[in-house]
Amino acid sequence: MTDFAAARYFMVEGQIRPNKVTDHRLVDVLSELPREAFVPESARGVAYVDDDLPIGKGRFLLEPMVFARMLQAVAVQETDRVLDVGAAGGYSTAVLGRLATSVIGLDCDEGLTAAATAALAGQGIANAKAVTGPLAEGYAQNAPYDVIVVEGTVPEVPAALTEQLAEGGRLVAVVQGSGSVGEVRLFQRTAGIVSSRILFEAKPHALPGFEKKASFVF
């Protein structure tokens, strides 16, 4: 039988703290929240692996270190309204729910949304809601958001998402570069203008629904 408390401890001490994650609120949540509660039973034994974790249907949870560094970069505050894009089984939404005032966990798969809803309720996280819809379109009915987190690699961040940022809002995503490794980028809206900068390199799996549309050449 897996000792999940020990696995969670070693995730934090072996993957999180040594990789420049110093936000004590974030570290506390990662130390306490049971990641295994948000993955299929078949994956629970490897819930704390230091890699993207496959959860079925071609979907993955982000590698813990990458996820933690992305969340630290957007500096989630207790008063923030958050959109979690590609929420899958709800783990990322739950972490954000412990850090922010309210969270929308968006996924394109109704089955994953149902699983996330059940898992969030099981952990007593009442300020987070799982919804279903196209990932690249965001969730405009609850916009604007102070923070948007994109849980996977995308070829580019669509305007539909950056337009849902509040003034001073931050968005973090892994944008595919010219090679096989992506760039974790932090976007921010200031005086109505959205700018971005590269934070570090990472190689998460791609999120569905962000594929560039083919263009016709005449």
Side-chain angles (χ1 to χ4, degrees), residues 93-107:
T93 302
V95 173
L96 289 162
R98 292 282 178 86
L99 298 171
T101 189
S102 65
V103 185
I104 295 293
L106 174 66
D107 204 86

Side-chain angles (χ1 to χ4, degrees), residues 13-34:
E13 298 302 321
Q15 302 178 48
I16 306 302
R17 291 189 192 275
N19 282 286
K20 305 177 182 178
V21 179
T22 57
D23 182 329
H24 69 88
R25 292 179 62 234
L26 174 58
V27 171
D28 286 348
V29 172
L30 296 174
S31 298
E32 298 165 2
L33 191 68

Side-chain angles (χ1 to χ4, degrees), residues 41-208:
E41 187 172 354
S42 60
R44 289 176 184 170
V46 291
Y48 297 93
V49 66
D50 58 346
D51 199 353
D52 285 4
L53 176 64
I55 58 171
K57 300 184 178 182
R59 300 294 298 281
F60 298 79
L61 294 191
L62 285 178
E63 178 183 346
M65 179 273 289
V66 173
F67 174 63
R69 290 187 67 183
M70 289 173 68
L71 260 57
Q72 179 167 264
V74 289
V76 182
Q77 305 299 306
E78 293 179 0
T79 55
D80 282 343
R81 290 161 47 89
V82 180
L83 175 63
D84 187 28
V85 178
Y91 174 71
S92 54
T93 302
V95 173
L96 289 162
R98 292 282 178 86
L99 298 171
T101 189
S102 65
V103 185
I104 295 293
L106 174 66
D107 204 86
C108 57
D109 185 287
E110 291 183 355
L112 289 175
T113 298
T117 298
L120 290 166
Q123 295 300 314
I125 301 174
N127 65 331
K129 177 183 178 182
V131 301
T132 306
L135 301 184
E137 295 180 12
Y139 198 70
Q141 48 265 62
N142 274 51
Y145 302 98
D146 302 295
V147 170
I148 298 176
V149 181
V150 181
E151 305 284 348
T153 300
V154 297
E156 61 185 11
V157 175
L161 290 182
T162 56
E163 288 170 358
Q164 293 176 32
L165 281 174
E167 177 63 22
R170 295 87 66 203
L171 180 154
V172 67
V174 185
V175 180
Q176 183 63 54
S178 56
S180 61
V181 178
E183 300 168 341
V184 177
R185 286 183 171 267
L186 178 64
F187 296 75
Q188 185 159 3
R189 177 181 290 277
T190 305
I193 304 298
V194 177
S195 59
S196 73
R197 60 188 177 92
I198 299 171
L199 301 178
F200 60 95
E201 292 184 338
K203 193 179 178 181
H205 286 76
L207 276 181

